[in-house]
Amino acid sequence: MVVLKIVLPVLAAVLAFYAYTWESFSEEMVRGKRVLVTGSSTGIGEQMAYEFAWMGAHLMLTARNETSLQKVVQNCLKLGAASASYVVSDMNDLASARNVVEETKNVLGGLDLLVLNHYGGKSGFGPYQGDMESVISSMTVNFFSYVQVTVSALSMLQESRGNIIVVSSMNGRIPGPFAVPYAASKAALEGFYSSLRTELRLRKIDMPITVAVLGYIDTDTAVGFLDGKISLKASPKELCAQAIVRGGVMRVREVFYPYWITKPVLLIRDWLPGVLEQIIGNSYFLEKIL
Ligand SMILES: NC(=O)c1ccc[n+]([C@@H]2O[C@H](COP(=O)([O-])OP(=O)(O)OC[C@H]3O[C@@H](n4cnc5c(N)ncnc54)[C@H](OP(=O)(O)O)[C@@H]3O)[C@@H](O)[C@H]2O)c1
Ligand SMILES: *[C@@H]1O[C@H](CO)[C@@H](O)[C@H](O)[C@H]1NC(C)=O
């Protein structure tokens, strides 16, 4: 039997090789690393800061709310961060975004891992009103400032052979009704960073980019927007942060969380777009939204 004599041994050899070369995550990979986490005053960004903290990273945090940042810095130090500082910034202003990188350089002397996570802007959750303002504000805070921070940090990252984590959303890959400006900014991120990742590799520049594709996560902001309006259950932000940090430290291309919700949906997207639209439509309680 060909299957037994050839296919199985080949399969076993491939698996053995894979297992042998498989590098597994360890906290040693994080100790002493200089990490900038944007949008780290609350939510998933705050939880990612704690993940990096207990593994002994040097942390630079940023957001608008100074009181919250001070609190998160204290928590990071208690958890075992090698150091923790913050810089207040409003990512609606690109000069302020550049300043975050300047401050990081001044305080940490370099950067090993850039974690782009913040999100905001003037659009909440609800029907798109046909205005330009909410789209421009969403694109500025959720897209242009990401690009600004990235280009400002490029030389530091090249020097340290560092890498980048970009926090995206299912709304950047599948339709996001009632979050139109937000979905546009996340789709822009997906296009920019997947293209940049591939281009850098072709140019032999070693700067891996990890894009995290998230479903519904139980942060105050998301629950505040969506509770009672969609039939999905929110997944825990702590596990979400852990999944993103591990994937980013391992320099994988993409992280999906929660995996068994996001992945099957993305599989349906390409082959059965009509079914996908039906599934999306069925998950909103329209009478609570319109
Ligand atoms: N939660 C979800 O269900 C979900 C789903 C998919 C993707 N995501 C993505 O996950 C990431 C984190 O989301 P989250 O739920 O943790 O959000 P969150 O709890 O609302 O946190 C957002 C962070 O961004 C900061 N921020 C907001 N506007 C800002 C501005 N103009 N300038 C600078 N910082 C600003 C906030 O701090 P300040 O208010 O102090 O500035 C906060 O630290 C985002 O990229 C989001 O798109 C979340
Ligand atoms: C900043 O965060 C604190 C909680 O840490 C909150 O009490 C306060 O209202 C926030 N300030 C603003 C301007 O949102």
Side-chain angles (χ1 to χ4, degrees):
M1 286 257 299
V2 179
V3 172
L4 281 180
K5 283 198 171 137
I6 299 170
V7 177
L8 277 184
V10 167
L11 206 67
V14 167
L15 279 177
F17 180 75
Y18 204 61
Y20 180 70
T21 54
W22 182 267
E23 209 190 344
S24 62
F25 176 85
S26 87
E27 56 183 275
E28 292 308 315
M29 294 168 152
V30 173
R31 194 177 309 284
K33 287 271 156 48
R34 298 158 299 182
V35 184
L36 165 61
V37 185
T38 70
S40 37
S41 63
T42 183
I44 298 163
E46 175 186 3
Q47 298 304 319
M48 286 195 284
Y50 297 155
E51 276 294 310
F52 286 115
W54 76 259
M55 293 187 279
H58 290 279
L59 278 161
M60 176 58 83
L61 309 181
T62 187
R64 291 166 306 175
N65 189 325
E66 184 160 18
T67 319
S68 307
L69 285 170
Q70 284 167 339
K71 191 192 73 194
V72 178
V73 160
Q74 289 312 313
N75 291 340
C76 285
L77 292 172
K78 275 187 218 136
L79 282 169
S83 71
S85 336
Y86 70 86
V87 49
V88 173
S89 73
D90 185 344
M91 294 290 188
N92 193 42
D93 170 18
L94 296 183
S96 183
R98 273 198 304 278
N99 183 56
V100 169
V101 179
E102 272 306 303
E103 268 301 296
T104 304
K105 192 174 197 163
N106 293 341
V107 175
L108 299 182
L111 183 63
D112 299 297
L113 184 48
L114 168 60
V115 186
L116 291 162
N117 159 82
H118 64 276
Y119 103 99
K122 292 200 181 94
S123 66
F125 180 80
Y128 176 53
Q129 301 297 343
D131 62 306
M132 286 304 295
E133 206 192 345
S134 63
V135 178
I136 291 171
S137 125
S138 186
M139 290 301 278
T140 306
V141 178
N142 305 326
F143 177 62
F144 294 137
S145 75
Y146 274 52
V147 175
Q148 179 67 72
V149 172
T150 301
V151 298
S152 298
L154 225 49
S155 61
M156 273 199 288
L157 287 170
Q158 268 193 271
E159 199 173 312
S160 68
R161 298 187 145 268
N163 61 306
I164 303 174
I165 298 176
V166 178
V167 179
S168 184
S169 163
M170 281 295 275
N171 278 347
R173 296 202 174 190
I174 63 167
F178 313 115
V180 170
Y182 171 75
S185 66
K186 288 301 189 185
L189 285 181
E190 298 268 355
F192 185 88
Y193 285 96
S194 66
S195 303
L196 183 66
R197 175 202 294 129
T198 304
E199 180 176 321
L200 290 175
R201 204 180 49 237
L202 293 174
R203 286 163 60 189
K204 305 219 176 342
I205 296 171
D206 180 27
M207 192 183 300
I209 298 175
T210 300
V211 172
V213 182
L214 307 183
Y216 178 26
I217 311 300
D218 69 358
T219 62
D220 294 347
T221 309
V223 171
F225 280 145
L226 300 175
D227 193 33
K229 294 174 184 167
I230 63 171
S231 58
L232 291 172
K233 200 172 135 323
S235 301
K237 56 180 186 257
E238 295 82 2
L239 290 180
C240 176
Q242 189 181 70
I244 301 171
V245 168
R246 287 180 177 222
V249 169
M250 296 301 290
R251 303 180 162 213
V252 301
R253 246 181 229 97
E254 295 168 322
V255 171
F256 298 90
Y257 184 87
Y259 189 87
W260 290 110
I261 293 174
T262 53
K263 268 304 222 196
V265 170
L266 289 171
L267 206 67
I268 294 170
R269 176 191 64 169
D270 288 344
W271 291 89
L272 302 164
V275 172
L276 174 64
E277 204 154 296
Q278 199 102 44
I279 294 173
I280 293 172
N282 288 339
S283 59
Y284 291 87
F285 302 128
L286 292 182
E287 67 282 6
K288 302 276 171 55
I289 300 169
L290 297 173

